[in-house]
Amino acid sequence: QVQLVESGGGLVQPWGSLRLSCAPSGFTLDQLAIGWFRQAPGLGREGVSSISRDGRRTNYADSVKGRFSISRDDAKNTVFLQMNNLNPEATAVYYCAARAALYSWTSLDHAPYSFWGQGAQVTVSS
């Protein structure tokens, strides 16, 4: 069983930056493809970014391209989501999700992911 722990959420002003971290336990990170999803109040879960097990493939939602960057450090067993130029529409709970997958697999669809973290609140407000 994989457990995922997100950290790095908080309150930030518009145009500010935050970096979210996701650390799995129960599996080593190099066995997992990782996705970041978010859910704002009253809305469905949205795929934000994902990275393949080998780190060679990444996906981004159109709404965050050019502002968010996903990366993984297998030595630290951590995946990062760097979020820059944040706007109030980014306010949501952000979830890290994992799937034991083939090396190149990655997806922004939440359905294939088997394991989910508890979520980290990100609030963008002045």
Side-chain angles (χ1 to χ4, degrees), residues 2-55:
V2 177
Q3 293 186 333
L4 302 170
V5 178
E6 301 103 335
S7 60
L11 174 65
V12 63
Q13 292 187 341
W15 303 107
S17 297
L18 280 176
R19 188 177 75 163
L20 300 179
S21 300
C22 173
S25 62
F27 273 65
T28 56
L29 182 60
D30 62 6
Q31 297 174 291
L32 301 171
I34 300 292
W36 283 99
F37 298 81
R38 66 187 179 187
Q39 189 162 16
L43 299 179
R45 193 162 292 191
E46 174 191 17
V48 176
S49 184
S50 63
I51 189 166
S52 61
R53 180 178 165 186
D54 61 8

